[in-house]
Amino acid sequence: MNISIIGSGNMAWHLAHKLKQSGNKILQITGRNEQTAIALAEEVNAVPNFLLQNIDVESELILFCVKDDAIQEIAVSGFKTEAIVAHTSGFRSKNLLENCSPNFGIFYPLQTMKKGMEIPFENIPFLVEGSNDTTTQALQNLALELSKNVHQVSELQRQYIHVAAVFANNFTNHLYELAENLLSEHHSSLDILRPLLAQSAQNVQHTSPAKLQTGPAARKDMFTIEEHLKLLSSHEELTKIYSILTESILRSREIQE
Amino acid sequence: MNISIIGSGNMAWHLAHKLKQSGNKILQITGRNEQTAIALAEEVNAVPNFLLQNIDVESELILFCVKDDAIQEIAVSGFKTEAIVAHTSGFRSKNLLENCSPNFGIFYPLQTMKKGMEIPFENIPFLVEGSNDTTTQALQNLALELSKNVHQVSELQRQYIHVAAVFANNFTNHLYELAENLLSEHHSSLDILRPLLAQSAQNVQHTSPAKLQTGPAARKDMFTIEEHLKLLSSHEELTKIYSILTESILRSREIQE
């Protein structure tokens, strides 16, 4: 497929490389950042471009790998094409693109992308959706070239998956950060927890988290919970987070019993 | 070392097997649960026992692998010895054992133990502490037979490590559970997030979570945060948890900037 990519950040970097590797031709890298657009274009044998109206008419797919807010900016810029246009946002509506082309959709890899990082594409879930059957099919076929884990989902479903990912991924990482801060205040480091975290992450790969829950709240060990809250008494925010998550664990145990 | 173990649950099971494997002699398994005590004793070539006063006087170490509340029960039972006594709780005080022996302490492996599970003992952090130097040294040497990751820590430090583990391990697992519930309500499953979780868990093994934070709060994407809260509006508890953790991420970004 002849593909033009708008953007030259982390997402553009990974998709450009991977799409080229799997046999597609990357015609252009269109970017606002001259330096990164030229660099990425060179890496994937594409032409750097800086104006939407100059996007190669040979493009069969124009992929918006830009920040959420920039999708809308481009969409209202008056840019028009007959090619498929798709964006890679996990949350924004495909309808943002409806004025750009009759053939628009979503091409969303559910993974954190950082330039240069090794990404095991073959397992990454791709969520695709198109404005019509041909578009959906084209996006699905392209995703299947990169991954065996491709899902056609509705907009609402994708949004719930996105918010679930915030709980399971962003919030958990923040809890790691809070733990790290607490440990460093007490002359220790996250290293002491890393083996436990590795083991737990491995367990949740094949077991339901409801079955893996441990800790004082899961044991209804109210004594330890009270003592923990005493240790945290000088940290208002940690106290609030501890209390609300402990209550939530206690409540979910009640539901299960 | 001649070791007697009190308890026949998950912790007793793993430590009995591993301590025997590394060349120690398990003299007795003392338990309230006749069936599991006999079974474990048989597996590690020990004698099952059901009365504290019958604990083998040849024991050099008596290891309390029992629930937190049971430590105190045994401690006030009048049981006395000259051997080292140690318990395996992450949170309870070593002083609970001070009436049992002049030589008492903590022998705490920072890992979730389930019978039959494969545990990579060589990396598990062991936190040890003794009532005197000889006891501390003996517990440390024993831990070093099982793991290369052994730490002498004070009671307060161990308690902060324990509460940090609750944040980084128990609470994160609960967030996985909340995500799983939300996904199953919307005809999806945790499977769609598992590759992302695996990647993130791997990243945090060698990088500080502060550097790995992604998601709408880390990007200060207030539009997506508002939209997420609309999606969660019928779930009071999820809304509270989402709000408090989002605020905490926003605040920690401010501190870092």
Side-chain angles (χ1 to χ4, degrees):
Chain A
M1 209 175 192
N2 285 337
I3 302 174
S4 284
I5 289 178
I6 302 183
S8 56
N10 292 309
M11 179 72 86
W13 193 91
H14 278 287
L15 286 181
H17 278 277
K18 192 68 192 174
L19 287 166
K20 182 175 152 57
Q21 256 177 51
S22 58
N24 298 281
K25 188 161 169 52
I26 311 301
L27 301 182
Q28 286 177 326
I29 302 291
T30 299
R32 286 194 282 209
N33 183 323
E34 203 170 313
Q35 209 180 345
T36 59
I38 291 173
L40 179 55
E42 199 165 303
E43 284 175 38
V44 297
N45 220 354
V47 175
N49 174 42
F50 307 99
L51 287 170
L52 286 173
Q53 58 263 42
N54 292 346
I55 283 184
D56 195 324
V57 293
E58 300 289 312
S59 308
E60 298 163 273
L61 167 67
I62 300 165
L63 210 51
F64 287 52
C65 302
V66 297
K67 292 209 167 90
D68 281 8
D69 290 338
I71 300 169
Q72 202 147 8
E73 268 178 56
I74 299 168
V76 299
S77 71
F79 171 67
K80 287 225 183 285
T81 176
E82 288 298 310
I84 297 175
V85 294
H87 72 65
T88 52
S89 162
F91 195 75
R92 297 300 169 99
S93 171
K94 69 179 188 308
N95 298 329
L96 288 177
L97 304 177
E98 67 189 348
N99 293 324
C100 299
S101 165
N103 310 304
F104 58 94
I106 302 292
F107 189 78
Y108 170 52
L110 211 177
Q111 182 58 269
T112 300
M113 305 274 183
K114 297 264 184 206
K115 273 183 200 181
M117 198 189 237
E118 198 70 49
I119 305 267
F121 263 94
E122 65 280 10
N123 294 318
I124 291 184
F126 270 78
L127 311 189
V128 300
E129 190 194 2
S131 60
N132 53 52
D133 287 352
T134 350
T135 304
T136 306
Q137 203 55 54
L139 293 170
Q140 165 146 333
N141 291 345
L142 189 67
L144 283 167
E145 289 178 16
L146 311 189
S147 168
K148 49 182 196 290
N149 195 357
V150 178
H151 306 261
Q152 280 186 31
V153 297
S154 72
E155 196 134 294
L156 192 64
Q157 214 181 356
R158 177 169 51 89
Q159 293 183 332
Y160 274 108
I161 291 168
H162 192 262
V163 71
V166 168
F167 278 88
N169 194 55
N170 303 148
F171 289 167
T172 54
N173 185 76
H174 184 59
L175 290 172
Y176 295 156
E177 184 178 341
L178 295 176
E180 183 171 48
N181 295 343
L182 195 60
L183 289 164
S184 81
E185 271 176 39
H186 295 280
H187 315 291
S188 187
S189 95
L190 195 64
D191 282 344
I192 208 152
L193 296 185
R194 283 190 161 108
L196 178 65
L197 303 184
Q199 183 70 46
S200 297
Q202 210 178 308
N203 295 344
V204 85
Q205 282 300 311
H206 46 75
T207 308
S208 170
K211 293 202 182 109
L212 294 170
Q213 192 66 51
T214 57
R219 289 193 302 273
K220 291 190 190 162
D221 175 354
M222 304 315 284
F223 173 83
T224 302
I225 291 170
E226 288 305 316
E227 293 294 315
H228 278 170
L229 285 167
K230 281 183 206 162
L231 286 179
L232 297 173
S233 59
S234 63
H235 290 75
E236 196 187 339
E237 189 162 65
L238 293 184
T239 299
K240 272 206 285 187
I241 294 172
Y242 187 99
S243 301
I244 202 169
L245 287 170
T246 291
E247 279 164 30
S248 181
I249 295 170
L250 290 169
R251 191 146 36 230
S252 65
R253 294 306 99 171
E254 272 166 29
I255 294 166
Q256 282 161 36
E257 271 162 16
Chain B
M1 209 174 190
N2 285 336
I3 302 174
S4 284
I5 288 178
I6 303 183
S8 57
N10 292 308
M11 179 71 87
W13 193 90
H14 278 288
L15 286 181
H17 278 277
K18 192 67 192 175
L19 286 166
K20 181 175 152 61
Q21 256 176 51
S22 58
N24 298 283
K25 187 160 171 54
I26 311 299
L27 300 181
Q28 285 177 326
I29 301 290
T30 299
R32 285 194 282 210
N33 183 322
E34 203 169 315
Q35 209 179 347
T36 59
I38 291 173
L40 179 56
E42 199 164 303
E43 284 173 40
V44 297
N45 221 355
V47 176
N49 174 43
F50 307 99
L51 288 170
L52 286 173
Q53 58 264 42
N54 291 347
I55 283 186
D56 194 323
V57 291
E58 300 290 311
S59 308
E60 296 161 274
L61 167 67
I62 301 165
L63 210 50
F64 287 53
C65 302
V66 298
K67 293 210 166 87
D68 281 7
D69 290 338
I71 300 169
Q72 202 146 9
E73 268 179 57
I74 299 169
V76 298
S77 70
F79 171 67
K80 288 222 184 286
T81 174
E82 289 298 309
I84 297 176
V85 293
H87 72 66
T88 54
S89 161
F91 196 77
R92 296 302 168 100
S93 171
K94 69 179 188 307
N95 298 329
L96 288 176
L97 304 177
E98 65 189 350
N99 293 325
C100 298
S101 165
N103 310 305
F104 58 94
I106 302 293
F107 189 79
Y108 170 52
L110 211 175
Q111 182 60 270
T112 300
M113 306 273 183
K114 297 265 185 205
K115 272 182 200 180
M117 197 189 238
E118 197 71 49
I119 305 267
F121 262 94
E122 64 280 12
N123 296 316
I124 291 184
F126 271 82
L127 310 189
V128 300
E129 190 194 2
S131 59
N132 52 52
D133 287 351
T134 350
T135 303
T136 306
Q137 203 55 53
L139 293 170
Q140 165 145 333
N141 292 344
L142 189 68
L144 283 168
E145 290 177 16
L146 310 188
S147 167
K148 49 183 193 291
N149 195 358
V150 177
H151 306 261
Q152 280 187 31
V153 296
S154 71
E155 196 134 295
L156 191 65
Q157 213 181 0
R158 177 169 52 90
Q159 291 182 333
Y160 273 108
I161 292 168
H162 193 261
V163 71
V166 168
F167 277 87
N169 193 55
N170 303 149
F171 289 168
T172 55
N173 185 73
H174 184 59
L175 291 172
Y176 295 156
E177 184 178 342
L178 294 176
E180 181 169 49
N181 295 343
L182 194 60
L183 289 164
S184 81
E185 271 177 37
H186 295 279
H187 315 292
S188 188
S189 95
L190 194 64
D191 281 344
I192 208 151
L193 297 185
R194 284 190 160 109
L196 178 65
L197 303 184
Q199 182 71 47
S200 297
Q202 210 177 309
N203 294 344
V204 85
Q205 282 300 310
H206 45 75
T207 308
S208 169
K211 294 205 180 104
L212 293 170
Q213 192 66 50
T214 58
R219 290 194 301 274
K220 292 190 190 161
D221 176 354
M222 304 313 285
F223 173 84
T224 302
I225 291 169
E226 287 305 315
E227 294 295 315
H228 278 169
L229 286 167
K230 282 183 206 162
L231 286 178
L232 298 174
S233 58
S234 64
H235 290 76
E236 196 188 340
E237 188 162 66
L238 293 184
T239 299
K240 273 204 284 186
I241 293 171
Y242 187 99
S243 301
I244 202 169
L245 287 170
T246 292
E247 278 164 33
S248 180
I249 295 171
L250 289 170
R251 194 151 28 236
S252 63
R253 294 304 99 171
E254 273 165 30
I255 294 165
Q256 280 162 36
E257 275 164 11

